[in-house]
């Protein structure tokens, strides 16, 4: 036993014989050395990670962009990153309290929102009012291509959008649409400053894509709720009624009794009051 | 053979002889003469009730035409008429015939529109007439009966409207019918039974259009006609009230005889009313039922509103909180009961009883034939304005979604405006009206005391500037007018007392030569300018010195 432990005995005796000051210094030195080693290791790994990332990451992304993205999508991405990204996020994922995710909305939603001028938004408010479109048709196509490629979702319909029965369209319109858009699509108020817009100036494609994608407060009328033919019937009805002249004279907004009441009080009673004033002055 | 001698004064013409023959048998000459000599006071506001009468007449005539083509049946048919967007749609025979009336009957659409506009004007002119009667105190003894008849006719007019616009059975009126059904159901205890009685079962059944039709074309118009007759007979019997003025007392009526002046005027007004309604019927589309679509309980449209005269009930319902009262034993008084049955009931009850209420409060039980100016009865005027404000807020709330949509206001804000406004605005209006009435009265009294402001500013020798006043009559030693306040209009401008040349005649354009009038006036020496050259001012023009500076008198 003793032969196997002479050094350790000596060392322990050394340590036992060394002053407490020297012992403390030795301990501090070893701690210092450990710390330096740690920092160096961390630095090395960071550098390595950074180097690896800088080597691999662009190497992966660059060929993807070049290889899979068409020119339209690239132009769309540029437009998106300039005008949409702040609310819809860099990957169409949306930003909480600013804008919804665009994953799955499809080119139909992009067409409706951008073509009616609702997007880009002027400011956050109850709902997005329509205004003159900011982007040209070509730019809208590019945006549609970009969102369709990266988010997917419903696409634009093809064919004659008025290819449906007008009477059936009327029934479907009154059943599904009139409760917000009024009997003939004049629009109406919703809660808290929101509104269902008038359909008077809407194009066939705008109405179709609105039904398909349910913008703002509107429910989605997917092809399971209203088939493509039924949507076309509704569009046919809305546009037929919108283009039809009022056989009874001035339409006074086609909103019914409120406007008519205003007419009878302002015009009817107004003219008659004038009439009896005139008769009174003849006395 | 000598001709038979005729009695002196006997008619010689064929017409005269016929009249004599009739009078011999029916003895009508006396009463007719009395009636034709009836005097009606002359004021434009007395023609308002006539507008109501004439629009009712027009509604009656146009409605009769519509009955030839309308089929008040809820039998289901498939539309095959000429309006393409509805062809092939299932609908009731009532809606089908309303569409045919609009598109396939000659003049049908025009008649429908005339009928509907006449109906709107009928109620509107009743309301305006009622306001005139209310604000001038024309309902006071002895005319309380006529007031109550008037209120009953107003309620009947509303029922007439409701039963009328329900008939076409379109989506808009069907929605209204659904609300009527809900209102009837909301009445505690009897609601369900009453609903079964009216609809003959659950909503909507197959009877209601037919029942409303009989009520609309027979029962209500018959009652209305009878009441109109009583209303007018009472008016003739009690004589028309008149505004106070020179020569007008509680015991006379100053105005024109029924024949020929008043009759000519009334006929003229009939044609004006007819013209206005015909113009509206031809130029402005009303209730385009083909756009609304046939009624289907599964469907409802945004902005479904009743005609304007029911709008206040829609409004009260829209702003009333959703306070259902749940009683033990599965009984519920729905919130709908309060804003419809109770509010409407209270409004019309108070309206009908107002003459009695005022008599009780003021203790004034005397007979009155002279009207009051609104400013002279500030409490009544303010109460009236308060009620009007209440009604106005309800009416506005009835269309609050249309206003919200058209003026881009939040619908919730509109609802809260209604809720607060209906409570806050009426007292505010009461206070303001009261102050305005007193202010107008004070100004009248001031002019009576101090004279009319002539606009002539005068500088007195010691440098003081005063405005010269023209007293309206004799003044006392302090220069105050001695005319008492009589509740009649007081002239406020020199022109009104002949201080300037008279106005050139003509309503739309002058019908006389202005230069000619000036010459004539100059010759007569009237007006301020006439005596200007000769005038030598002798007094200061202070009220205490008799007001307007006078020309020296010998």
């Amino acid at each position: 036993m003793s032969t196997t432990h002479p050094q350790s005995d000596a060392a322990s005796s050394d340590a036992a014989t060394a002053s407490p000051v020297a012992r403390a210094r030795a301990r501090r030195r070893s701690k210092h050395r450990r710390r330096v080693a740690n920092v160096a290791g961390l630095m090395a790994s960071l550098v390595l990670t950074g180097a690896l990332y800088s080597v691999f990451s662009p190497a992966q992304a660059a060929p993807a962009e070049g290889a899979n993205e068409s020119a339209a999508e690239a132009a769309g991405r540029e437009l998106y990153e300039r005008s949409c990204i702040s609310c819809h996020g860099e990957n169409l994922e949306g930003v909480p309290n600013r804008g919804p995710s665009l994953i799955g909305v499809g080119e139909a939603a992009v067409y409706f929102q951008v073509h009616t001028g609702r997007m880009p938004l002027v400011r956050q408010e109850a709902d997005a009012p329509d205004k003159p479109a900011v982007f040209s048709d070509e730019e809208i196509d590019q945006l549609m291509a970009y969102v369709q490629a990266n988010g997917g979702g419903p696409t634009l319909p093809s064919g004659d959008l008025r290819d449906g029965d007008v009477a059936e369209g009327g029934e479907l319109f009154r059943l599904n649409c009139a409760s917000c858009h009024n009997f003939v699509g004049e629009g109406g108020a919703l809660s808290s400053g929101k509104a269902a817009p008038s359909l008077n100036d809407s194009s066939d494609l705008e109405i179709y894509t609105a039904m398909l994608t349910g913008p703002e407060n509107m429910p989605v009328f997917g092809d399971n709720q209203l088939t493509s033919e039924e949507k076309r019937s509704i569009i046919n009805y809305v546009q037929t009624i919108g283009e039809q002249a009022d056989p009874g004279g001035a339409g006074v907004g086609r909103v019914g009794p409120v406007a008519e009441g205003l007419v009878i009080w302002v015009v009817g009673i107004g003219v008659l009051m004038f009439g009896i004033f005139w008769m009174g002055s003849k006395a | 053979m000598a001709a038979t001698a005729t009695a002196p004064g006997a008619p010689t013409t064929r017409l005269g002889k016929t009249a004599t023959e009739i009078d011999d048998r029916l003895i009508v000459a006396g009463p007719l003469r009395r009636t034709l000599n009836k005097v009606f006071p002359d004021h434009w506001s007395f023609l308002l009730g006539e507008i109501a009468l004439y629009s009712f007449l027009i509604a009656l005539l146009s409605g009769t035409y519509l009955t030839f083509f309308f089929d008040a049946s809820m039998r289901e048919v498939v539309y095959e008429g000429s309006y393409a967007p509805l062809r092939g749609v299932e609908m009731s025979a009532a809606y089908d015939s309303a569409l045919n009336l609009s598109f396939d009957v000659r003049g049908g659409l025009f008649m429908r529109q005339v009928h509907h506009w006449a109906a709107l004007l009928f109620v509107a002119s009743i309301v305006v007439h009622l306001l005139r009667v209310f604000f001038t105190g024309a309902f006071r003894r002895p005319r309380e009966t006529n007031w109550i008849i008037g209120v009953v006719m107003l309620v009947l007019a509303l029922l007439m409207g409701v039963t009328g616009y329900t008939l076409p059975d379109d989506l808009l009126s069907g929605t209204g019918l659904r609300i009527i059904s809900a209102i009837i159901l909301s009445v505690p205890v009897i609601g369900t039974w009453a609903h079964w009685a009216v609809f003959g079962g659950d909503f909507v059944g197959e009877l209601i259009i037919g029942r409303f039709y009989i009520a609309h074309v027979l029962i209500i118009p018959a009652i209305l006609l009878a009441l109109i007759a009583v209303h007018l007979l009472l008016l003739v019997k009690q004589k028309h009230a008149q505004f106070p003025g020179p020569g007008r007392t509680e015991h006379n009526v100053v105005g024109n005889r029924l024949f020929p002046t008043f009759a000519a005027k009334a006929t003229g007004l009939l044609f004006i009313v007819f013209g206005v309604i015909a113009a509206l019927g031809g130029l402005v589309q009303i209730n385009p039922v083909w756009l609304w679509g046939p009624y289907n309980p599964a469907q409802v449209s945004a902005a479904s509103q009743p005609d304007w005269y029911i709008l206040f009930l829609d409004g009260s319902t829209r702003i009333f909180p959703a306070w259902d009262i749940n009683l033990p034993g599965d009984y519920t008084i729905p919130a709908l009961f309060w804003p419809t049955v109770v509010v409407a009931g209270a409004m019309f009850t108070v309206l009908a009883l107002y003459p009695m209420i005022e008599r009780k409060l003021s203790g004034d039980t005397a007979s009155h034939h002279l009207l009051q100016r609104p400013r002279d009865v500030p409490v009544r005027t303010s109460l009236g304005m308060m009620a009007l404000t209440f009604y106005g807020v309800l009416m506005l709330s009835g269309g609050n979604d249309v206003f919200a949509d058209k003026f881009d206001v939040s619908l919730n804000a509109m609802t809260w405006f209604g809720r607060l406004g209906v409570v806050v605005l009426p007292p505010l209006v009461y206070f303001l009206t009261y102050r305005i009435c007193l202010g107008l009265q004070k100004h009248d009294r001031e002019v009576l005391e101090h004279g009319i402001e002539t606009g002539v500013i005068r500088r007195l020798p010691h440098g003081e500037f005063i405005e010269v006043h023209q007293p309206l009559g004799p003044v006392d030693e302090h220069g105050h007018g001695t005319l008492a306040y009589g509740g009649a209009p007081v002239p406020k401008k020199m022109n009104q007392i002949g201080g300037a040349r008279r106005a050139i005649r003509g309503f739309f354009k002058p019908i006389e030569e202005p230069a000619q009038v000036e010459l004539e006036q100059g010759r007569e020496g009237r007006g301020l300018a006439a005596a200007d050259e000769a005038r030598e001012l002798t007094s200061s023009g202070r009220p205490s010195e008799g007001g307007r500076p006078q020309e020296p008198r010998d």
Side-chain angles (χ1 to χ4, degrees):
Chain A
M1 282 289 281
S2 64
T3 54
T4 54
H5 293 296
Q7 280 182 334
S8 70
D9 284 345
S12 65
S13 67
D14 269 359
T17 52
S19 67
V21 177
R23 228 183 308 149
R25 194 183 297 132
R27 202 162 50 230
R28 212 175 296 137
R29 201 183 298 125
S30 75
K31 204 175 186 180
H32 186 69
R33 206 179 297 133
R34 255 200 327 270
R35 202 174 282 167
V36 168
N38 281 349
V39 169
L42 187 66
M43 288 298 284
S45 63
L46 275 177
V47 167
L48 190 63
T49 314
L52 278 175
Y53 185 83
S54 64
V55 168
F56 288 111
S57 161
Q60 272 176 345
E65 244 175 38
N68 301 340
E69 201 167 52
S70 69
E73 286 165 25
R77 171 190 294 278
E78 202 149 292
L79 290 170
Y80 181 87
E81 285 175 354
R82 192 147 22 93
S83 301
C84 321
I85 198 164
S86 59
C87 297
H88 292 297
E90 39 184 327
N91 295 310
L92 308 181
E93 79 279 23
V95 177
N97 299 324
R98 292 180 83 175
S101 163
L102 298 186
I103 296 166
V105 302
E107 60 174 12
V110 177
Y111 176 81
F112 177 82
Q113 297 284 0
V114 183
H115 196 260
T116 60
R118 286 181 165 77
M119 294 291 148
L121 208 53
V122 172
R123 58 179 170 271
Q124 298 278 349
E125 53 187 330
D127 58 8
D130 54 337
K131 55 183 183 292
V134 172
F135 295 110
S136 67
D137 284 353
E138 192 195 347
E139 289 170 323
I140 294 174
D141 285 344
Q142 293 164 350
L143 270 173
M144 278 159 54
Y146 172 69
V147 173
Q148 187 67 36
N150 292 283
T155 53
L156 292 192
S158 56
D160 180 8
L161 294 184
R162 297 193 193 185
D163 184 20
D165 179 40
V166 67
E168 189 206 355
E171 278 296 292
L172 290 168
F173 184 85
R174 286 187 287 275
L175 192 61
N176 294 292
C177 321
S179 54
C180 298
H181 287 287
N182 188 303
F183 299 98
V184 288
E186 285 296 330
L190 302 175
S191 61
S192 303
K194 291 170 285 202
S198 159
L199 307 181
N200 285 338
D201 302 323
S202 304
S203 69
D204 297 352
L205 191 53
E206 283 168 0
I207 300 176
Y208 195 102
T209 49
M211 285 191 275
L212 198 58
T213 62
E216 317 268 333
N217 292 282
M218 184 165 160
V220 173
F221 293 95
D223 286 349
N224 292 335
Q225 282 84 34
L226 291 172
T227 64
S228 176
E229 291 73 48
E230 287 172 333
K231 288 196 187 80
R232 285 163 213 256
S233 300
I234 290 179
I235 292 172
N236 193 8
Y237 178 75
V238 170
Q239 302 292 28
T240 307
I241 292 288
E243 287 158 11
Q244 162 189 309
D246 285 316
V252 287
R254 290 181 171 181
V255 286
V258 174
E260 292 158 7
L262 206 62
V263 169
I264 199 65
W265 277 98
V266 175
V267 179
I269 292 289
V271 169
L272 286 172
M273 287 300 232
F274 184 79
I276 57 178
F277 273 131
W278 176 56
M279 292 184 75
S281 81
K282 291 272 145 194
Chain B
M1 192 173 161
T4 319
T6 50
T12 50
T13 60
R14 188 180 292 268
L15 187 67
K17 281 177 187 153
T18 316
T20 313
E21 295 294 318
I22 293 174
D23 187 45
D24 280 347
R25 288 164 178 78
L26 301 175
I27 317 177
V28 289
L32 194 63
R33 175 181 294 272
R34 263 208 308 287
T35 310
L36 291 184
N37 279 341
K38 204 94 198 161
V39 171
F40 284 88
D42 215 13
H43 192 268
W44 62 266
S45 69
F46 300 162
L47 298 174
L48 293 168
E50 272 182 60
I51 297 180
L53 179 65
Y54 300 146
S55 39
F56 180 69
L57 201 68
I58 293 162
L60 214 59
L61 294 176
S62 53
T64 308
Y65 183 78
L66 299 182
T67 60
F68 298 152
F69 308 99
F70 181 69
D71 176 9
S73 151
M74 297 170 86
R75 182 169 43 86
E76 285 209 2
V77 297
V78 174
Y79 181 67
E80 294 298 344
S82 51
Y83 182 66
L86 283 173
R87 215 172 285 150
V89 174
E90 275 192 21
M91 55 184 63
S92 66
Y95 186 67
D96 180 59
S97 64
L99 288 178
N100 287 335
L101 243 173
S102 305
F103 293 108
D104 298 305
V105 171
R106 188 176 298 277
L109 180 57
F110 174 70
M111 280 304 206
R112 259 198 64 224
Q113 300 204 137
V114 161
H115 187 66
H116 207 135
W117 282 120
L120 292 198
L121 184 66
F122 178 49
V123 191
S125 51
I126 289 180
V127 170
V128 181
H129 172 57
L130 177 138
L131 293 180
R132 196 283 292 173
V133 169
F134 179 86
F135 284 115
T136 59
F139 55 81
R140 291 173 300 165
R141 185 188 173 98
R143 296 185 177 79
E144 305 100 321
T145 322
N146 240 6
W147 169 268
I148 294 174
I149 291 176
V151 174
V152 172
M153 285 200 288
L154 172 62
V155 175
L156 287 176
L158 300 192
L159 288 177
M160 192 85 172
V162 172
T163 51
Y165 71 63
T166 304
L167 292 183
D169 201 24
D170 55 285
L171 184 50
L172 178 61
S173 72
T175 306
L177 192 61
R178 188 44 170 147
I179 297 173
I180 294 172
S181 143
I183 292 173
I184 297 177
L185 277 175
S186 79
V187 181
V189 185
I190 63 158
T192 313
W193 308 102
H195 186 280
W196 248 247
V198 172
F199 284 80
D202 205 349
F203 183 82
V204 59
E206 292 179 338
L207 301 172
I208 192 67
I209 296 288
R211 289 184 173 180
F212 271 24
Y213 183 64
I214 291 300
H216 181 75
V217 303
L218 181 69
I219 302 173
I220 307 177
I223 303 175
L224 259 178
L225 271 175
L227 287 179
I228 289 174
V230 177
H231 201 66
L232 293 181
L233 280 175
L234 278 177
L235 163 81
V236 169
K237 173 83 183 130
Q238 294 179 331
K239 298 188 179 57
H240 205 294
Q242 60 184 346
F243 279 107
R248 295 172 180 182
T249 71
E250 291 281 5
H251 308 289
N252 68 2
V253 182
V254 179
N256 292 311
R257 290 188 193 283
L258 175 59
F259 193 83
T261 317
F262 190 77
K265 274 195 162 187
T267 317
L269 185 58
L270 168 65
F271 286 122
I272 293 179
V273 173
F274 187 61
V276 168
I277 292 178
L280 281 173
L283 299 174
V284 187
Q285 178 164 286
I286 186 166
N287 199 22
V289 286
W290 56 91
L291 294 180
W292 307 158
Y295 182 53
N296 176 344
Q299 301 170 351
V300 68
S301 165
S304 287
Q305 264 106 4
D307 276 0
W308 76 263
Y309 40 83
I310 306 290
L311 211 51
F312 76 101
L313 280 182
D314 211 286
S316 63
T317 310
R318 285 174 187 219
I319 62 177
F320 196 79
W323 289 339
D324 282 352
I325 299 176
N326 292 312
L327 301 172
D330 269 357
Y331 288 107
T332 301
I333 303 177
L336 181 66
F337 176 63
W338 308 106
T340 53
V341 181
V342 173
V343 165
M347 279 168 73
F348 285 108
T349 309
V350 171
L351 186 67
L353 295 182
Y354 185 79
M356 286 54 111
I357 296 170
E358 186 182 298
R359 209 165 54 197
K360 199 88 178 168
L361 293 181
S362 67
D364 177 8
T365 54
S367 249
H368 296 280
H369 297 286
L370 284 181
L371 298 173
Q372 289 166 306
R373 292 188 306 160
R375 70 185 65 172
D376 294 328
V377 202
V379 173
R380 180 203 297 145
T381 307
S382 310
L383 282 175
M385 289 306 292
M386 188 167 148
L388 262 187
T389 311
F390 180 78
Y391 179 81
V393 173
L394 291 188
M395 200 156 131
L396 193 79
S397 299
N400 60 8
D401 56 341
V402 175
F403 292 108
D405 186 41
K406 297 295 170 200
F407 297 105
D408 209 8
V409 186
S410 160
L411 181 56
N412 300 44
M414 286 295 296
T415 304
W416 278 103
F417 165 77
R419 285 176 176 172
L420 297 174
V422 85
V423 177
V424 173
L425 288 181
L428 198 69
V429 169
Y430 182 95
F431 175 76
L432 283 177
T433 313
Y434 199 89
R435 299 315 306 178
I436 292 170
C437 285
L438 290 192
L440 289 170
Q441 250 189 63
K442 271 191 172 163
H443 191 240
D444 281 356
R445 289 177 198 277
E446 190 205 307
V447 171
L448 283 174
E449 274 194 9
H450 296 129
I452 299 174
E453 295 176 353
T454 59
V456 177
I457 308 291
R458 219 178 156 214
R459 189 179 177 200
L460 300 186
H462 55 276
E464 182 190 357
F465 284 94
I466 61 158
E467 180 175 12
V468 177
H469 283 66
Q470 169 66 55
L472 288 174
V475 293
D476 64 10
E477 64 271 22
H478 304 294
H480 290 145
T482 52
L483 289 176
Y485 185 77
V490 173
K492 301 275 175 68
K493 287 180 182 151
M494 292 300 286
N495 298 15
Q496 290 166 308
I497 55 167
R501 300 214 163 87
R502 71 169 169 81
I504 311 289
R505 275 199 291 266
F507 191 80
F508 294 107
K509 54 183 172 39
I511 54 170
E512 52 189 2
E513 199 62 43
Q516 199 59 39
V517 176
E518 196 164 340
L519 265 175
E520 173 196 326
Q521 297 277 302
R523 266 202 303 280
E524 281 177 14
R526 283 177 61 200
L528 279 177
D532 262 352
E533 299 84 31
R535 182 183 297 140
E536 186 185 328
L537 302 175
T538 55
S539 76
S540 69
R542 275 180 201 286
S544 60
E545 288 173 42
R548 187 175 159 68
Q550 298 296 310
E551 295 162 42
R553 289 188 185 149
D554 318 304

